[in-house]
């Protein structure tokens, strides 16, 4: 697929490793690790510079394809990373498009859960720690999907993404706020 190929090339050029993705009908989700500061923004810029002209030329149109800037959040390694990865790959299920994530063709799930080749996906160390080999990792990863993501977890992850906050423990959020010199979490949860 053209978009996934352009995303792979853009990630390589910008210095990002993509661990999970899903292409929905009106948006995408990408879980990536930057190899240097600014890499995610550079990846999305490079993708837009390639994909927008392609679509405009193919469909004889002009103008932008996306509304506003991409949204992102910092994700703490360990269980938070795997929650985010599951959130992404379960998106088509939550949207009622398929009953199981492995039935959706435009996702990294088949790669992560079953070892299907996908040139875009680079396994993250947290994912790799699920098992000593591809079979045991896939088995452990599929077992994670037996548990649903609770409403509170979904709300926290969406909040982190929509407001460029950190998704992780309180200690992680405090450390990221100090490192970045700005708040990365809601100051008062009662203001929702």
């Amino acid at each position: 697929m053209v978009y996934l190929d352009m995303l792979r090339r853009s990630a390589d050029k910008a210095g990002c490793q993509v661990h999970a993705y899903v292409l929905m009908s009106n948006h995408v989700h990408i879980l990536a690790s930057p190899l240097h500061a600014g890499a995610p923004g550079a990846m999305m810029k490079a993708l837009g510079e390639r994909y927008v002209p392609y679509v405009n030329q193919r469909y004889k149109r002009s103008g932008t394809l996306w509304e506003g800037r991409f949204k992102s959040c910092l994700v703490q390694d360990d269980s938070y990373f795997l929650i985010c990865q599951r959130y992404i790959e379960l998106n088509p299920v939550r949207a009622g498009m398929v009953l199981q994530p492995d039935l959706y063709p435009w996702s990294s799930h088949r790669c992560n859960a079953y070892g299907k080749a996908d040139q875009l996906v680079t396994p993250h160390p947290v994912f790799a720690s699920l098992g000593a080999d591809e079979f045991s990792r896939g088995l452990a990863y599929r077992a994670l999907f037996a548990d649903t993501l609770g409403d509170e977890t979904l709300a926290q992850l969406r909040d982190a993404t929509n407001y460029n906050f950190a998704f992780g423990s309180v200690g992680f959020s405090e450390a990221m706020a100090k490192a970045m010199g700005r708040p990365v979490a809601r100051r008062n949860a009662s203001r929702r």
Side-chain angles (χ1 to χ4, degrees):
M1 164 179 229
V2 172
Y3 183 88
L4 293 176
D5 183 56
M6 289 183 182
L7 175 58
R8 182 183 55 78
R9 290 172 192 249
S10 298
D12 289 346
K13 177 182 175 184
C16 281
Q17 294 179 333
V18 175
H19 311 298
Y21 67 87
V22 66
L23 308 183
M24 301 297 286
S25 58
N26 64 349
H27 66 283
V28 300
H29 291 273
I30 302 166
L31 179 60
S33 295
L35 301 177
H36 57 81
M43 176 181 73
M44 297 309 292
K45 181 177 188 256
L47 178 60
E49 288 172 346
R50 287 186 168 135
Y51 192 66
V52 172
Y54 166 80
V55 169
N56 285 345
Q57 181 179 11
R58 180 174 174 121
Y59 296 102
K60 300 185 184 352
R61 61 177 306 278
S62 64
T64 186
L65 298 179
W66 295 292
E67 292 181 23
R69 190 177 188 280
F70 73 96
K71 298 176 182 177
S72 64
C73 70
L74 299 167
V75 179
Q76 183 177 4
D77 286 347
D78 69 29
S79 63
Y80 291 95
F81 181 88
L82 292 174
I83 288 169
C84 190
Q85 192 162 323
R86 286 171 45 219
Y87 171 85
I88 289 170
E89 294 179 354
L90 283 168
N91 211 274
V93 175
R94 280 191 307 278
M97 300 167 89
V98 292
L99 295 175
Q100 301 170 165
D102 58 317
L103 298 175
Y104 194 72
W106 309 114
S107 160
S108 56
H109 185 75
R110 292 180 190 174
C111 175
N112 289 321
Y114 296 99
K116 182 181 177 207
D118 189 327
Q119 292 183 357
L120 178 58
V121 176
T122 300
H124 188 275
V126 171
F127 174 80
S129 73
L130 291 175
D133 57 38
E134 187 177 293
F135 178 79
S136 58
R137 273 190 303 278
L139 194 62
Y141 187 66
R142 290 191 303 274
L144 294 174
F145 286 77
D147 293 330
T148 59
L149 298 173
D151 290 340
E152 185 177 334
T153 300
L154 291 173
Q156 288 172 346
L157 186 48
R158 288 176 180 142
D159 205 34
T161 302
N162 288 329
Y163 298 104
N164 198 21
F165 290 156
F167 181 65
S169 67
V170 172
F172 175 73
S173 294
E174 289 171 352
M176 291 300 100
K178 185 175 180 180
M180 297 176 73
R182 68 169 182 81
V184 295
R186 283 200 188 276
R187 292 183 185 189
N188 183 350
S190 64
R191 281 197 226 164
R192 288 187 184 212

